[in-house]
Amino acid sequence: MPLVNPVNMLQAARAGGYCIGAFNLVDYLTLKAIIEAAEQQQSPVILQTSSATVKQLGLPAIGAMARLVADASLVPIALHLDHGTDPAVIREAIRCGYTAVMYDGSKYPFAENVARTRAVVAEAHAQGVAVEGEIGIVAGVEDDIVVRQDAAIYTSPEEALEFQRQTEIDFLAAAIGTAHGFYKVEPKLDIDTLRRIAQATTCPMVVHGGTGLPFDVVRELVRAGAAKMNVSTQIKQTYIDGLFGYIEGHRTEYNPIKLLDHARRELVAMIGQYMQVLGSTGKSAGSANAA
Ligand code: 13P
């Protein structure tokens, strides 16, 4: 089916008490692995790209690849721009077929974040594209943005509600103590705040920094109201470890197809496991609305 706007799948997840995985692709192999896992699990899925991947592959190529794969698939697939900061890039992503975009104005004071996010929402909604906003500051490393753990700012439920009301965003990333990248120290999660924000607002909640969270913590976050969970670093690690592992055992084989196939299978297994833990397995029917 064509790429879908993810609002319906996220609202269904919110209402049904499960969560949709948003997996960062880095190339065609990772894109194929994410879709293969979604098909095996009969799960809706969000493909997303960071700004480094956008620079590497270009928005037209990403849009074309995602459309090609989605058109041939029966599970609902959305294409989302992760951490957009430049309205011109967001506009271009929409032109290239993205069905959702994040505007990350979290570094600005509240009123400026609201004004900038509202402008993106007006443009995106006019074209049937969904918008994720963010308030609070998520720690860790995302491309070339580095935020120390002690510099993270947690989101308050009152602010979240006001932000949703003033911006009319479709889903909201709140800072509750998770971080991008590998955890160097155990994260101090404020799961109760996530629960209170999810109850105070009507929009699905997004948790960034899915990599490295123990699965029982992931399940707790989902129970507290996480409807979209971002997983990026784990994709890169499984990919690279898969390639290394195969090369170590087959140093003189020189068969790139077998090498890449091995890495892809490792990725499909890992992503499938996330979908099971998030509870999106078996939820592909009834959560699509074509973009
Ligand atoms: P991780 O790299 O920690 O999985 O975080 C991904 C993310 O939140 C992307 O926005």
Side-chain angles (χ1 to χ4, degrees):
M1 69 176 84
L3 287 167
V4 300
N5 176 317
V7 165
N8 274 15
M9 68 167 82
L10 290 172
Q11 286 290 2
R14 179 185 153 96
Y18 61 94
C19 183
I20 310 286
F23 299 97
N24 286 61
L25 62 97
V26 295
D27 60 8
Y28 190 59
L29 184 144
T30 44
L31 185 158
K32 291 272 287 181
I34 297 164
I35 305 305
E36 195 175 327
E39 286 174 341
Q40 270 181 14
Q41 300 295 324
Q42 288 297 295
S43 168
V45 73
I46 299 174
L47 300 167
Q48 60 183 21
T49 54
S50 71
S51 56
T53 300
V54 166
K55 278 189 203 132
Q56 171 74 12
L57 300 178
L59 290 165
I62 298 167
M65 286 192 305
R67 244 192 332 273
L68 189 75
V69 178
D71 283 349
S73 180
L74 294 176
V75 296
I77 301 165
L79 178 62
H80 178 69
L81 182 73
D82 194 21
H83 290 285
T85 51
D86 180 351
V89 174
I90 290 175
R91 210 165 287 133
E92 176 67 359
I94 294 172
R95 203 188 59 76
C96 292
Y98 279 65
T99 55
V101 293
M102 174 180 188
Y103 177 69
D104 181 356
S106 58
K107 68 176 181 194
Y108 297 109
F110 184 81
E112 191 173 352
N113 188 5
V114 166
R116 288 171 177 267
T117 305
R118 268 178 74 97
V120 170
V121 168
E123 240 183 280
H125 281 185
Q127 297 171 83
V129 169
V131 180
E132 173 179 339
E134 176 170 331
I135 44 170
I137 295 189
V138 177
V141 180
E142 174 70 14
D143 289 345
D144 40 11
I145 305 164
V146 182
V147 180
R148 285 183 23 209
Q149 193 90 26
D150 57 5
I153 297 177
Y154 290 43
T155 307
S156 80
E158 298 71 29
E159 220 181 28
L161 180 60
E162 205 42 37
F163 188 74
Q164 184 204 356
R165 204 181 58 73
Q166 291 188 32
T167 59
E168 296 179 29
I169 46 161
D170 301 285
F171 34 107
L172 173 68
I176 48 118
T178 57
H180 294 125
F182 295 114
Y183 291 97
K184 295 188 187 71
V185 290
E186 202 180 320
K188 291 195 192 77
L189 300 186
D190 189 348
I191 296 179
D192 192 50
T193 295
L194 175 67
R195 187 174 298 110
R196 288 192 297 131
I197 299 174
Q199 282 165 1
T201 61
T202 54
C203 63
M205 297 303 303
V206 184
V207 170
H208 283 242
T211 299
L213 296 172
F215 282 154
D216 56 337
V217 172
V218 171
R219 288 190 193 93
E220 217 181 315
L221 289 164
V222 176
R223 276 196 297 274
K228 170 178 183 271
M229 185 167 294
N230 291 1
V231 180
S232 174
T233 305
Q234 189 60 61
I235 301 266
K236 299 177 207 169
Q237 188 192 37
T238 301
Y239 192 7
I240 290 175
D241 283 355
L243 294 174
F244 263 118
Y246 191 87
I247 289 170
E248 263 169 12
H250 305 79
R251 184 61 196 86
T252 55
E253 189 177 77
Y254 302 116
N255 186 330
I257 301 293
K258 281 192 177 172
L259 166 67
L260 297 174
D261 214 44
H262 174 79
R264 188 182 48 75
R265 276 187 274 114
E266 302 263 296
L267 281 162
V268 171
M270 181 276 287
I271 297 163
Q273 196 179 14
Y274 263 100
M275 288 169 169
Q276 286 173 14
V277 173
L278 294 171
S280 68
T281 296
K283 299 289 200 295
S284 62
S287 61
N289 58 324

